[in-house]
Amino acid sequence: MRIAIDTMGGDFGPRATLRGTASALLRDPRLSATLVGPGHLLDAELDSLPASLSRVRDRLQTLAVDGIVASDARPSRVVRSREPSSMSSALDLVASRQADACVSAGNTGALMALAMRDVGTVEGVERPAICAAVPTQGERSCSLLDLGANVAVAPQHLLAFARMGAVRCQLVEGVANPRVGLLNVGVESGKGTAQVQEAHALLAGSGANFDYLGFVEGGDLFAGEVDVVVCDGFVGNVVLKSSEGLAQMLSAQLGATLAADWRTRLMAWLARPALTRLSRQLDPVRYNGASLLGVAGVVVKSHGGAAAEGFAYAVSRAASEARRGLPERLAHALKGSLPG
């Protein structure tokens, strides 16, 4: 299993992506990786690997490419360019089957556009979607899609997102009959836009291999009672980033409250095992990595602000999807099932 890594994306540059990749390889002896980026930077980072990560150096190959996709680059301009970049070259490795998956922390719009151009899309999929996991009160996370690839969608696209999310949930999460909900402003039948109402009718009558629960509200994402939540990319992106901001605020507030005086510090010390478990369960690092569902190869987008540990989770997510042949299984599941 070989993963192509765009080392030049994200806020922390090649050090975070390279060390995150090495950490993922350290946890999984069946993995190898091709690091794509400027050769002199990759060589310098490989030479500075900590001893604990140097053990996987023989499974790290490099592909020297100087071009970089800027974080603020317009996807349309990136697609028109034929100059190789670390992102496009990593995707080319997937397209040519020299790698089983690609991971990048770079420009999301450019990554989706280049993936569609170079890797292609699964047969029957008109609009690929970005899918990520959010923590819940239950034992399983909840998959939310779309997260920004498609701001304006038609009802049949929301049906396609539901099918793709459910298939991924079955294959990767091991949920036999995923519970799917359509995000709306209320659960009552008369609420929502005409687009959402029509998508609801399509989902209810689709006969798909998942348990369609109907409308769900924003708070239902975290209740642990739904496995896949579907919405358009504008709504999904706002929900995800609002959730991330809320989690950061609560964490900061909790820390400040527990450090306020000796009484609260004593309480924090006594509750440390429980607080550690809670922190681990809610740690956004564990949920890093969003899948570009509908692309004809495994492509995972890491959060731009992820450090090495978070990037390692994105690499592991890509490896898990590649091992299960997610794009091929999506094609099989969706063939002939999507309305035109």
Side-chain angles (χ1 to χ4, degrees), residues 277-299:
R277 287 195 300 271
L278 177 63
S279 177
R280 187 179 301 115
Q281 181 182 1
L282 299 180
D283 186 358
V285 166
R286 296 178 60 235
Y287 300 92
N288 184 46
S291 309
L292 273 57
L293 293 184
V295 172
V298 174
V299 180

Side-chain angles (χ1 to χ4, degrees), residues 12 37 63 90 97 99 108 110 113 123 133 142 147 159 168 192 227 239 258 261 285 292 302 310 317 320:
F12 300 103
L63 175 61
R97 300 187 180 277
T108 303
E123 183 180 358
C142 175
L147 297 178
L159 171 60
R168 187 195 179 279
D227 300 303
V239 168
L258 292 176
D261 55 45
V285 166
L292 273 57
S302 172
R317 181 182 179 101
S320 179

Side-chain angles (χ1 to χ4, degrees), residues 57-107:
R57 183 161 179 173
D58 62 331
R59 288 188 274 143
L60 292 169
Q61 294 183 356
T62 61
L63 175 61
V65 178
D66 290 332
I68 299 171
V69 174
S71 60
D72 59 350
R74 294 178 62 88
S76 58
R77 179 171 296 180
V78 172
V79 168
R80 287 196 299 270
S81 173
R82 287 294 171 176
E83 291 297 318
S85 65
S86 58
M87 183 183 288
S88 65
S89 297
L91 289 166
D92 284 343
L93 293 176
V94 176
S96 62
R97 300 187 180 277
Q98 297 178 69
D100 301 285
C102 170
V103 181
S104 173
N107 183 313

Side-chain angles (χ1 to χ4, degrees), residues 222 242-258 275 278 282:
F222 313 101
S242 298
S243 301
E244 291 174 347
L246 176 61
Q248 292 170 359
M249 184 273 290
L250 290 175
S251 177
Q253 288 289 92
L254 179 61
T257 299
L258 292 176
L275 291 173
L278 177 63
L282 299 180

Side-chain angles (χ1 to χ4, degrees), residues 213-288:
L213 304 181
F215 295 136
V216 296
E217 296 177 302
D220 297 322
L221 276 167
F222 313 101
E225 297 178 357
V226 60
D227 300 303
V228 178
V229 171
V230 178
C231 58
D232 66 58
F234 181 87
V235 171
N237 195 271
V238 170
V239 168
L240 184 67
K241 291 182 177 177
S242 298
S243 301
E244 291 174 347
L246 176 61
Q248 292 170 359
M249 184 273 290
L250 290 175
S251 177
Q253 288 289 92
L254 179 61
T257 299
L258 292 176
D261 55 45
W262 69 268
R263 295 179 184 85
T264 55
R265 288 195 292 272
L266 176 60
M267 291 172 57
W269 182 80
L270 292 172
R272 185 168 54 181
L275 291 173
T276 299
R277 287 195 300 271
L278 177 63
S279 177
R280 187 179 301 115
Q281 181 182 1
L282 299 180
D283 186 358
V285 166
R286 296 178 60 235
Y287 300 92
N288 184 46

Side-chain angles (χ1 to χ4, degrees), residues 1-7 14 17-19 21-22 25 31-39 41-43 45-46 49 53-65 90 93 97-100:
M1 179 66 61
R2 178 167 294 278
I3 312 296
I5 305 295
D6 169 20
T7 64
T17 53
L18 197 153
R19 294 190 179 191
T21 301
L25 268 59
L31 275 185
S32 60
T34 299
L35 309 168
V36 186
L41 294 179
L42 298 182
D43 290 342
E45 292 300 336
L46 284 170
L49 275 178
L53 298 178
S54 294
R55 289 181 288 170
V56 302
R57 183 161 179 173
D58 62 331
R59 288 188 274 143
L60 292 169
Q61 294 183 356
T62 61
L63 175 61
V65 178
L93 293 176
R97 300 187 180 277
Q98 297 178 69
D100 301 285

